[in-house]
Amino acid sequence: MYDHIARTAQNLVRVGEEIEREIGVPIVNKRISVTPAALISGGVTHPVKLAKALDRAASATGVNFIGGYSALVQKGMTAADRRLMDSIPEALSETEFLCSSINIGSTRADAVRLMGQIVKATAQRTAEAGGLGCAKLVVFCNAVEDNPFMAGAFHGPGEGDCAVSVGVSGPGVVKCALEAVRGQ
């Protein structure tokens, strides 16, 4: 997985910076999102290893964030989903670029109570960093199939091998436009 991400996204930041220069609008964050990790981690007994591989891939490509340390448990929970969810506090406290999300959608899945505990544990494990882990964790209810926007980003299961999504920040565009006409 590390090799695939590092190879596929090796030029992402450089191309993003070229686009910035061409159109004159800053692209503040360059981000990667991957297929929800719980979907591919069935045989992984310690998902934090996967989290650290994702974090290394983000570092190698120079992006600001990598999302997709995620599980879709809106109708039920597999053992892989549960392992990933339980690992979130540790994963977010031991990585720099990683973002996580869980789609709960229903109280039947027992995920609502569990995510309350996980948010609290994440805040405690990242307390020295101002609870930063919680800023990189999103709990969805009925998430869309594909969400490229951090911190809740994940590459949709119905997507192809690789997709490029571009989001333009309204505040960033307004700031750039106002600076261009300063004093007029």
Side-chain angles (χ1 to χ4, degrees), residues 57-180:
S59 178
T61 60
V63 297
N64 304 96
F65 299 105
I66 188 163
Y69 196 72
S70 305
L72 309 175
V73 297
Q74 64 271 20
K75 290 187 172 183
M77 192 179 313
T78 67
D81 293 326
R82 180 62 190 249
R83 280 191 301 273
L84 185 129
M85 292 168 72
D86 287 342
S87 75
I88 289 172
E90 180 182 356
L92 292 179
S93 70
E94 295 184 11
T95 57
E96 184 177 352
F97 308 102
L98 187 71
C99 293
S100 181
S101 66
I102 304 298
N103 185 38
I104 53 176
S106 171
T107 56
R108 292 182 307 162
D110 195 33
V112 175
R113 177 191 52 75
L114 179 59
M115 282 311 299
Q117 295 166 347
I118 290 169
V119 169
K120 183 177 179 182
T122 301
Q124 291 168 338
R125 279 194 78 128
T126 61
E128 288 185 19
L132 181 61
C134 290
K136 299 189 306 175
L137 172 60
V138 175
V139 180
F140 288 114
C141 181
N142 302 318
V144 297
E145 183 178 289
D146 178 43
N147 178 15
F149 305 107
M150 295 299 160
F154 58 88
H155 184 72
E159 295 286 325
D161 186 43
C162 180
V164 175
S165 301
V166 178
V168 178
S169 167
V173 171
V174 170
K175 179 181 183 282
C176 185
L178 289 174
E179 287 174 351

Side-chain angles (χ1 to χ4, degrees), residues 8-23 25 27 30 61 164 166:
T8 304
Q10 67 184 341
N11 296 317
L12 180 67
V13 171
R14 180 185 55 76
V15 171
E17 290 168 349
E18 289 173 5
I19 293 169
E20 284 180 11
R21 287 188 295 277
E22 179 182 330
I23 64 173
V25 175
I27 301 173
K30 286 84 173 172
T61 60
V164 175
V166 178

